[in-house]
Amino acid sequence: MPQISIILPTFNVEKYIKKALDSCINQSLKDIEIIVVDDLGSDSSIKIAKEEALKDKRIKIIHNEKNLGTFASRNVGALNSNSPYIMFLDPDDTLALNACELALKEIKEANLLRFGFAKIDEMGGGYRKKFTKL
């Protein structure tokens, strides 16, 4: 059983999905599953995800029967996860390569989880913001 499931609701994100998947595939914690939920977009997002799934057995693709939107697609992913912890990632975002490892460590050691995020623009500039006690 994987320790963390990362769920990516996917709709017309072919420009970003490879980078998002790479950030999941290359996590320092390898005992994860990556669930891509196809929300029936019209681009090549799912084709890209399927190509990656052929290379990495941790990637599972679920196809919605109709377009459900992001929130419901996350729920579909959660219902199909096989781990005690779930992480949601929008496919136009990326995870730090140690995000799953740090999240699991925080949960187990401190019994709480703190998140931070960094917004990086195309020129490499950005800012960081921290959230605590989630």
Side-chain angles (χ1 to χ4, degrees):
M1 176 169 62
Q3 294 189 55
I4 295 177
S5 296
I6 305 171
I7 299 169
L8 288 90
T10 303
F11 181 83
N12 291 343
V13 288
E14 71 181 292
K15 182 177 175 182
Y16 310 104
I17 193 165
K18 174 75 167 87
K19 190 171 181 180
L21 283 170
D22 284 347
S23 78
C24 296
I25 292 165
N26 295 314
Q27 285 294 300
S28 57
L29 178 68
K30 300 300 182 194
D31 191 14
I32 62 172
E33 71 177 344
I34 304 158
I35 301 173
V36 177
V37 182
D38 175 12
D39 203 23
L40 306 178
S42 59
D43 68 359
S44 297
S45 300
I46 295 306
K47 180 182 177 205
I48 295 165
K50 286 180 179 178
E51 290 170 1
E52 293 302 309
L54 291 173
K55 298 183 240 175
D56 193 319
K57 64 180 179 159
R58 298 174 300 166
I59 300 173
K60 179 166 57 171
I61 299 174
I62 298 168
H63 302 278
N64 289 341
E65 292 182 18
K66 63 180 183 174
N67 178 267
L68 299 175
T70 302
F71 182 78
S73 292
R74 284 186 181 126
N75 288 339
V76 168
L79 291 170
N80 285 278
S81 72
N82 295 302
S83 66
Y85 303 108
I86 295 171
M87 182 179 287
F88 297 112
L89 179 67
D90 289 336
D92 59 346
D93 293 328
T94 58
L95 291 172
L97 296 181
N98 62 348
C100 291
E101 180 181 357
L102 291 176
L104 192 61
K105 181 181 176 190
E106 284 286 321
I107 290 167
K108 290 184 175 186
E109 288 180 4
N111 204 27
L112 68 100
L113 181 57
R114 288 171 242 179
F115 272 102
F117 72 88
K119 180 175 181 170
I120 309 296
D121 63 29
E122 290 180 11
M123 302 301 289
Y127 63 88
R128 293 191 184 277
K129 178 144 179 134
K130 297 271 184 193
F131 295 95
T132 58
K133 293 187 180 179
L134 295 176

Short mmCIF file of all heavy atoms in Angstrom, two decimals, residues 40-77:
data_model
loop_
_atom_site.label_atom_id
_atom_site.label_comp_id
_atom_site.label_asym_id
_atom_site.label_seq_id
_atom_site.Cartn_x
_atom_site.Cartn_y
_atom_site.Cartn_z
N LEU A 40 -12.14 14.76 -19.09
CA LEU A 40 -12.62 14.81 -20.48
C LEU A 40 -12.33 16.11 -21.21
O LEU A 40 -13.19 16.66 -21.89
CB LEU A 40 -14.12 14.47 -20.54
CG LEU A 40 -14.51 13.15 -19.87
CD1 LEU A 40 -16.01 12.96 -19.94
CD2 LEU A 40 -13.77 11.99 -20.49
N GLY A 41 -11.10 16.56 -21.09
CA GLY A 41 -10.68 17.72 -21.85
C GLY A 41 -10.52 17.37 -23.33
O GLY A 41 -10.61 16.21 -23.73
N SER A 42 -10.25 18.39 -24.13
CA SER A 42 -10.16 18.18 -25.58
C SER A 42 -8.73 18.25 -26.10
O SER A 42 -8.52 18.22 -27.31
CB SER A 42 -11.02 19.24 -26.29
OG SER A 42 -10.56 20.54 -25.95
N ASP A 43 -7.74 18.32 -25.23
CA ASP A 43 -6.35 18.40 -25.68
C ASP A 43 -5.63 17.07 -25.45
O ASP A 43 -6.27 16.05 -25.26
CB ASP A 43 -5.64 19.57 -24.99
CG ASP A 43 -5.44 19.37 -23.50
OD1 ASP A 43 -5.87 18.31 -22.96
OD2 ASP A 43 -4.85 20.25 -22.86
N SER A 44 -4.32 17.09 -25.44
CA SER A 44 -3.51 15.87 -25.33
C SER A 44 -3.07 15.55 -23.90
O SER A 44 -2.17 14.75 -23.71
CB SER A 44 -2.28 15.98 -26.23
OG SER A 44 -2.66 16.10 -27.57
N SER A 45 -3.68 16.16 -22.91
CA SER A 45 -3.27 15.95 -21.52
C SER A 45 -3.23 14.47 -21.14
O SER A 45 -2.25 13.98 -20.58
CB SER A 45 -4.22 16.67 -20.56
OG SER A 45 -4.24 18.04 -20.78
N ILE A 46 -4.30 13.76 -21.43
CA ILE A 46 -4.38 12.36 -21.01
C ILE A 46 -3.45 11.49 -21.84
O ILE A 46 -2.88 10.52 -21.34
CB ILE A 46 -5.84 11.86 -21.05
CG1 ILE A 46 -6.65 12.62 -20.01
CG2 ILE A 46 -5.94 10.36 -20.81
CD1 ILE A 46 -6.09 12.59 -18.58
N LYS A 47 -3.24 11.83 -23.09
CA LYS A 47 -2.27 11.09 -23.91
C LYS A 47 -0.89 11.19 -23.28
O LYS A 47 -0.16 10.20 -23.17
CB LYS A 47 -2.25 11.65 -25.33
CG LYS A 47 -1.28 10.95 -26.23
CD LYS A 47 -1.26 11.57 -27.62
CE LYS A 47 -0.20 10.85 -28.45
NZ LYS A 47 0.32 11.65 -29.51
N ILE A 48 -0.51 12.38 -22.84
CA ILE A 48 0.78 12.59 -22.17
C ILE A 48 0.83 11.78 -20.88
O ILE A 48 1.83 11.12 -20.59
CB ILE A 48 1.01 14.10 -21.91
CG1 ILE A 48 1.14 14.84 -23.24
CG2 ILE A 48 2.22 14.32 -21.02
CD1 ILE A 48 1.02 16.35 -23.13
N ALA A 49 -0.25 11.82 -20.10
CA ALA A 49 -0.30 11.06 -18.85
C ALA A 49 -0.18 9.55 -19.12
O ALA A 49 0.51 8.83 -18.39
CB ALA A 49 -1.58 11.37 -18.09
N LYS A 50 -0.85 9.06 -20.16
CA LYS A 50 -0.77 7.64 -20.51
C LYS A 50 0.65 7.24 -20.90
O LYS A 50 1.11 6.15 -20.54
CB LYS A 50 -1.74 7.31 -21.63
CG LYS A 50 -3.18 7.26 -21.19
CD LYS A 50 -4.10 6.93 -22.36
CE LYS A 50 -5.55 6.85 -21.91
NZ LYS A 50 -6.45 6.58 -23.04
N GLU A 51 1.34 8.10 -21.63
CA GLU A 51 2.74 7.82 -21.99
C GLU A 51 3.61 7.70 -20.75
O GLU A 51 4.46 6.82 -20.66
CB GLU A 51 3.26 8.92 -22.91
CG GLU A 51 2.65 8.90 -24.30
CD GLU A 51 2.99 10.13 -25.13
OE1 GLU A 51 3.72 11.03 -24.64
OE2 GLU A 51 2.50 10.21 -26.27
N GLU A 52 3.36 8.58 -19.77
CA GLU A 52 4.13 8.52 -18.52
C GLU A 52 3.75 7.28 -17.71
O GLU A 52 4.60 6.66 -17.08
CB GLU A 52 3.92 9.79 -17.71
CG GLU A 52 4.50 11.03 -18.35
CD GLU A 52 5.99 10.92 -18.62
OE1 GLU A 52 6.76 10.55 -17.71
OE2 GLU A 52 6.40 11.18 -19.77
N ALA A 53 2.48 6.90 -17.75
CA ALA A 53 2.02 5.72 -17.01
C ALA A 53 2.66 4.44 -17.55
O ALA A 53 2.89 3.49 -16.79
CB ALA A 53 0.50 5.62 -17.06
N LEU A 54 2.97 4.41 -18.84
CA LEU A 54 3.65 3.24 -19.41
C LEU A 54 5.05 3.09 -18.85
O LEU A 54 5.58 1.98 -18.77
CB LEU A 54 3.72 3.36 -20.94
CG LEU A 54 2.40 3.23 -21.69
CD1 LEU A 54 2.60 3.53 -23.17
CD2 LEU A 54 1.81 1.84 -21.50
N LYS A 55 5.64 4.20 -18.42
CA LYS A 55 7.00 4.19 -17.87
C LYS A 55 7.04 4.03 -16.36
O LYS A 55 8.08 3.70 -15.80
CB LYS A 55 7.72 5.49 -18.25
CG LYS A 55 7.90 5.69 -19.73
CD LYS A 55 8.68 6.97 -19.96
CE LYS A 55 7.87 7.93 -20.78
NZ LYS A 55 8.50 9.23 -20.95
N ASP A 56 5.93 4.33 -15.69
CA ASP A 56 5.92 4.32 -14.22
C ASP A 56 4.62 3.69 -13.72
O ASP A 56 3.55 4.26 -13.88
CB ASP A 56 6.06 5.75 -13.69
CG ASP A 56 6.38 5.81 -12.21
OD1 ASP A 56 5.80 5.01 -11.43
OD2 ASP A 56 7.20 6.66 -11.82
N LYS A 57 4.74 2.53 -13.11
CA LYS A 57 3.56 1.78 -12.66
C LYS A 57 2.82 2.46 -11.51
O LYS A 57 1.71 2.06 -11.17
CB LYS A 57 3.94 0.36 -12.28
CG LYS A 57 4.87 0.29 -11.10
CD LYS A 57 5.23 -1.13 -10.73
CE LYS A 57 6.18 -1.06 -9.55
NZ LYS A 57 6.28 -2.21 -8.79
N ARG A 58 3.40 3.49 -10.90
CA ARG A 58 2.73 4.19 -9.81
C ARG A 58 1.64 5.13 -10.32
O ARG A 58 0.83 5.62 -9.54
CB ARG A 58 3.74 4.99 -8.98
CG ARG A 58 4.79 4.11 -8.31
CD ARG A 58 5.84 4.94 -7.63
NE ARG A 58 6.51 5.78 -8.62
CZ ARG A 58 7.30 6.81 -8.31
NH1 ARG A 58 7.51 7.14 -7.05
NH2 ARG A 58 7.88 7.51 -9.25
N ILE A 59 1.62 5.38 -11.63
CA ILE A 59 0.63 6.28 -12.21
C ILE A 59 -0.61 5.49 -12.60
O ILE A 59 -0.53 4.51 -13.34
CB ILE A 59 1.20 7.02 -13.44
CG1 ILE A 59 2.43 7.85 -13.04
CG2 ILE A 59 0.12 7.90 -14.08
CD1 ILE A 59 3.16 8.47 -14.22
N LYS A 60 -1.74 5.95 -12.10
CA LYS A 60 -3.04 5.33 -12.40
C LYS A 60 -3.91 6.41 -13.04
O LYS A 60 -3.97 7.53 -12.55
CB LYS A 60 -3.67 4.82 -11.10
CG LYS A 60 -5.02 4.20 -11.27
CD LYS A 60 -5.48 3.39 -10.06
CE LYS A 60 -5.55 4.11 -8.76
NZ LYS A 60 -6.20 3.35 -7.68
N ILE A 61 -4.58 6.06 -14.13
CA ILE A 61 -5.44 7.02 -14.81
C ILE A 61 -6.89 6.56 -14.68
O ILE A 61 -7.22 5.41 -14.96
CB ILE A 61 -5.05 7.17 -16.29
CG1 ILE A 61 -3.60 7.69 -16.37
CG2 ILE A 61 -6.01 8.12 -17.00
CD1 ILE A 61 -3.03 7.76 -17.74
N ILE A 62 -7.73 7.48 -14.24
CA ILE A 62 -9.16 7.23 -14.10
C ILE A 62 -9.89 8.17 -15.05
O ILE A 62 -9.59 9.37 -15.09
CB ILE A 62 -9.62 7.47 -12.64
CG1 ILE A 62 -8.90 6.51 -11.71
CG2 ILE A 62 -11.13 7.34 -12.51
CD1 ILE A 62 -9.04 6.84 -10.27
N HIS A 63 -10.84 7.65 -15.79
CA HIS A 63 -11.59 8.45 -16.75
C HIS A 63 -13.00 8.72 -16.21
O HIS A 63 -13.74 7.78 -15.93
CB HIS A 63 -11.70 7.74 -18.10
CG HIS A 63 -10.37 7.41 -18.69
ND1 HIS A 63 -9.62 8.32 -19.39
CD2 HIS A 63 -9.63 6.27 -18.66
CE1 HIS A 63 -8.49 7.75 -19.78
NE2 HIS A 63 -8.47 6.51 -19.35
N ASN A 64 -13.34 9.99 -16.06
CA ASN A 64 -14.71 10.34 -15.70
C ASN A 64 -15.64 10.00 -16.87
O ASN A 64 -15.22 10.05 -18.03
CB ASN A 64 -14.84 11.83 -15.38
CG ASN A 64 -14.18 12.20 -14.07
OD1 ASN A 64 -13.92 11.36 -13.23
ND2 ASN A 64 -13.89 13.48 -13.91
N GLU A 65 -16.88 9.67 -16.58
CA GLU A 65 -17.85 9.39 -17.63
C GLU A 65 -18.36 10.67 -18.28
O GLU A 65 -18.82 10.66 -19.42
CB GLU A 65 -19.01 8.57 -17.07
CG GLU A 65 -18.59 7.17 -16.68
CD GLU A 65 -19.74 6.34 -16.17
OE1 GLU A 65 -20.91 6.68 -16.43
OE2 GLU A 65 -19.46 5.32 -15.51
N LYS A 66 -18.31 11.77 -17.52
CA LYS A 66 -18.67 13.08 -18.05
C LYS A 66 -17.83 14.12 -17.32
O LYS A 66 -17.22 13.82 -16.29
CB LYS A 66 -20.17 13.37 -17.88
CG LYS A 66 -20.62 13.43 -16.43
CD LYS A 66 -22.11 13.72 -16.33
CE LYS A 66 -22.50 13.85 -14.86
NZ LYS A 66 -23.89 14.26 -14.71
N ASN A 67 -17.78 15.33 -17.84
CA ASN A 67 -17.02 16.39 -17.21
C ASN A 67 -17.65 16.73 -15.86
O ASN A 67 -18.82 17.08 -15.79
CB ASN A 67 -16.98 17.62 -18.13
CG ASN A 67 -16.24 18.77 -17.49
OD1 ASN A 67 -16.84 19.61 -16.85
ND2 ASN A 67 -14.95 18.79 -17.67
N LEU A 68 -16.87 16.61 -14.79
CA LEU A 68 -17.37 16.84 -13.44
C LEU A 68 -16.83 18.10 -12.79
O LEU A 68 -17.35 18.54 -11.78
CB LEU A 68 -17.02 15.64 -12.55
CG LEU A 68 -17.60 14.29 -12.96
CD1 LEU A 68 -17.07 13.20 -12.05
CD2 LEU A 68 -19.12 14.33 -12.94
N GLY A 69 -15.75 18.65 -13.33
CA GLY A 69 -15.11 19.80 -12.71
C GLY A 69 -14.03 19.35 -11.73
O GLY A 69 -13.93 18.18 -11.37
N THR A 70 -13.25 20.30 -11.28
CA THR A 70 -12.08 20.01 -10.45
C THR A 70 -12.44 19.38 -9.11
O THR A 70 -11.86 18.37 -8.71
CB THR A 70 -11.27 21.30 -10.22
OG1 THR A 70 -10.90 21.84 -11.49
CG2 THR A 70 -10.03 21.03 -9.41
N PHE A 71 -13.39 19.95 -8.40
CA PHE A 71 -13.73 19.46 -7.06
C PHE A 71 -14.21 18.01 -7.10
O PHE A 71 -13.71 17.16 -6.36
CB PHE A 71 -14.80 20.35 -6.42
CG PHE A 71 -15.17 19.93 -5.03
CD1 PHE A 71 -14.34 20.23 -3.96
CD2 PHE A 71 -16.33 19.21 -4.79
CE1 PHE A 71 -14.67 19.84 -2.67
CE2 PHE A 71 -16.67 18.80 -3.51
CZ PHE A 71 -15.84 19.12 -2.44
N ALA A 72 -15.16 17.70 -7.97
CA ALA A 72 -15.68 16.34 -8.07
C ALA A 72 -14.61 15.38 -8.58
O ALA A 72 -14.56 14.22 -8.14
CB ALA A 72 -16.92 16.30 -8.96
N SER A 73 -13.75 15.84 -9.47
CA SER A 73 -12.67 14.97 -9.97
C SER A 73 -11.68 14.65 -8.86
O SER A 73 -11.16 13.52 -8.79
CB SER A 73 -11.95 15.63 -11.15
OG SER A 73 -12.82 15.70 -12.27
N ARG A 74 -11.42 15.59 -7.98
CA ARG A 74 -10.58 15.29 -6.81
C ARG A 74 -11.23 14.20 -5.96
O ARG A 74 -10.55 13.30 -5.46
CB ARG A 74 -10.36 16.55 -5.99
CG ARG A 74 -9.38 17.50 -6.57
CD ARG A 74 -9.10 18.66 -5.62
NE ARG A 74 -8.17 19.57 -6.23
CZ ARG A 74 -8.37 20.86 -6.37
NH1 ARG A 74 -9.50 21.41 -5.91
NH2 ARG A 74 -7.48 21.63 -6.94
N ASN A 75 -12.53 14.31 -5.77
CA ASN A 75 -13.25 13.30 -4.98
C ASN A 75 -13.16 11.93 -5.63
O ASN A 75 -12.99 10.92 -4.94
CB ASN A 75 -14.71 13.70 -4.79
CG ASN A 75 -14.86 14.85 -3.82
OD1 ASN A 75 -13.99 15.12 -3.00
ND2 ASN A 75 -15.97 15.55 -3.92
N VAL A 76 -13.31 11.87 -6.95
CA VAL A 76 -13.17 10.60 -7.67
C VAL A 76 -11.79 10.01 -7.42
O VAL A 76 -11.64 8.83 -7.14
CB VAL A 76 -13.43 10.79 -9.19
CG1 VAL A 76 -13.01 9.57 -9.99
CG2 VAL A 76 -14.89 11.13 -9.45
N GLY A 77 -10.77 10.85 -7.50
CA GLY A 77 -9.41 10.39 -7.23
C GLY A 77 -9.26 9.88 -5.81
O GLY A 77 -8.67 8.82 -5.58
#
